């Protein structure tokens, strides 16, 4: 049985240029791979859009053993309405704090050696002002839920996550154990839980085809489970990732639009 782990968190972005500056220059993440798609994903990976879109994976190291942010860009959509479900991503890096100060990126001190930096689109990134560890600096992703007991049951008893810490019945820290996609889908069907996308194969041009199952938890957070073996082939670092992203941004010319109108386009 393959070891399960948290791979990505998806951020839909409207301004790729500012977003690239934040993740590359402020946080110090690397462009792990960049992919362009001519039509919408059949598993709605890019949201409810049918047109051209791109996916850029960024992180502090290879996806085999590092958490990554998946930056999804839909051509022609410059802004998204931010909900109250995502509470923040926390990473440990004094270098990121130093980068933010040097580049004039706004920081808010919210605790001892803890800063809040807002990514383009309004996403909260918390920076622990301590030396970046040799392993993955990303510590956790925090989501809001309406019923902590119900959500804990879902994520632990059904998804197989382990409860690591509890804090005064207000927050629960969890990590993944083991699972198999077909078994997971069968369990969710048996338990009458919502399956957004039943087990399906997704193609990426020139790369491996991966199997995914997409679920929705009690608060409708989308959780995508990906087959391990094919994913390891798909997620190999691409040394041309930076160049591919820069080329796509230059050809998009959305920077010119933002500069001319001094605002973001409204979402479709």
């Amino acid at each position: 049985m393959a070891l399960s782990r948290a791979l990505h968190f998806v951020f839909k972005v409207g301004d790729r240029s500012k977003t690239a500056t934040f993740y590359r220059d402020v946080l110090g993440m690397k462009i792990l791979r960049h992919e362009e798609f001519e039509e919408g994903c059949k598993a709605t990976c890019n949201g409810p859009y049918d047109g051209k879109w791109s996916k850029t994976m960024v992180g502090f190291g290879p996806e085999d053993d590092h958490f990554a942010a998946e930056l999804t860009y839909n051509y022609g959509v410059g802004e998204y309405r931010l909900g109250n479900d995502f509470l923040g991503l926390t990473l440990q890096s004094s270098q990121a704090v130093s980068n933010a100060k040097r580049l004039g990126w706004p920081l808010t001190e919210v605790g001892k050696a803890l800063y809040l930096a807002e990514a383009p689109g309004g996403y909260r990134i918390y920076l622990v002002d301590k030396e970046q560890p040799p392993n993955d600096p990303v510590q956790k992703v925090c989501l809001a839920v309406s019923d902590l007991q119900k959500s804990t049951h879902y994520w632990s008893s059904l998804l197989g996550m382990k409860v690591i810490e509890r804090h005064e019945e207000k927050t629960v820290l969890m990590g993944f154990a083991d699972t198999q996609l077909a078994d997971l889908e069968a369990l969710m069907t048996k338990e009458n839980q919502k399956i957004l996308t039943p087990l399906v194969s997704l193609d990426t041009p020139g790369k491996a085809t991966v199997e995914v199952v997409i679920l929705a938890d009690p608060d409708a957070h989308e959780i995508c489970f990906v087959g391990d073996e094919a994913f390891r082939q798909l997620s190999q670092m691409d040394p041309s990732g930076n160049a591919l992203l820069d080329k796509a941004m230059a050809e998009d010319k959305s920077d010119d639009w933002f500069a001319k109108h001094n605002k973001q386009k409204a979402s479709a």
Side-chain angles (χ1 to χ4, degrees), residues 9-247:
F9 194 87
V10 178
F11 298 101
K12 290 185 175 66
V13 302
D15 188 329
R16 279 195 297 189
S17 180
K18 285 185 178 179
T19 297
T21 295
F22 179 76
Y23 286 94
R24 286 193 291 200
D25 301 337
V26 177
L27 298 188
M29 288 183 170
K30 303 173 184 176
I31 304 297
L32 305 176
R33 52 190 170 101
H34 175 81
E35 294 153 357
E36 294 279 331
F37 302 88
E38 292 300 320
E39 57 184 23
C41 173
K42 62 182 178 181
T44 65
C45 300
N46 63 313
Y49 302 93
D50 295 327
K52 184 177 179 180
W53 64 290
S54 76
K55 174 171 64 179
T56 307
M57 310 304 300
V58 297
F60 288 97
E63 291 174 72
D64 269 359
D65 50 15
H66 287 74
F67 188 82
E70 180 174 327
L71 309 177
T72 298
Y73 173 74
N74 288 289
Y75 282 82
V77 182
E79 184 179 11
Y80 298 90
R81 181 179 296 175
L82 192 65
N84 62 357
D85 54 340
F86 175 73
L87 297 182
L89 181 150
T90 301
L91 61 91
Q92 179 177 317
S93 173
S94 57
Q95 184 60 56
V97 174
S98 176
N99 292 343
K101 292 178 178 178
R102 174 174 53 83
L103 296 171
W105 199 278
L107 286 177
T108 302
E109 190 169 4
V110 294
K112 184 178 180 181
L114 182 63
Y115 292 87
L116 169 62
E118 191 172 285
Y123 302 113
R124 298 171 182 170
I125 308 297
Y126 290 93
L127 306 177
V128 179
D129 192 8
K130 295 181 181 178
E131 184 178 357
Q132 188 169 305
N135 55 349
D136 195 348
V138 178
Q139 297 183 334
K140 61 185 177 182
V141 172
C142 188
L143 301 175
V145 300
S146 57
D147 186 323
L148 186 60
Q149 184 176 355
K150 187 176 182 180
S151 292
T152 301
H153 169 74
Y154 181 90
W155 287 81
S156 61
S157 299
L158 300 183
L159 296 189
M161 295 187 82
K162 297 177 180 178
V163 175
I164 299 172
E165 295 178 7
R166 291 181 184 268
H167 299 279
E168 301 177 354
E169 298 303 318
K170 293 182 178 179
T171 63
V172 174
L173 181 64
M174 311 177 80
F176 272 108
D178 297 330
T179 193
Q180 291 283 354
L181 296 187
D183 295 340
L184 179 64
E185 182 181 34
L187 174 62
M188 291 302 175
T189 300
K190 178 183 176 182
E191 295 290 331
N192 294 316
Q193 297 295 326
K194 191 166 187 178
I195 300 175
L196 297 177
T197 302
L199 187 60
V200 64
S201 296
L202 298 182
D203 297 324
T204 298
K207 296 188 178 182
T209 296
V210 296
E211 291 187 328
V212 305
V213 171
I214 303 179
L215 310 175
D217 81 346
D219 291 285
H221 296 121
E222 294 187 17
I223 313 129
C224 180
F225 286 83
V226 185
D228 181 69
E229 184 176 352
F231 173 77
R232 289 184 184 275
Q233 298 174 35
L234 172 68
S235 63
Q236 294 298 306
M237 285 186 67
D238 184 354
S240 62
N242 259 314
L244 289 173
L245 173 60
D246 290 338
K247 179 176 182 289

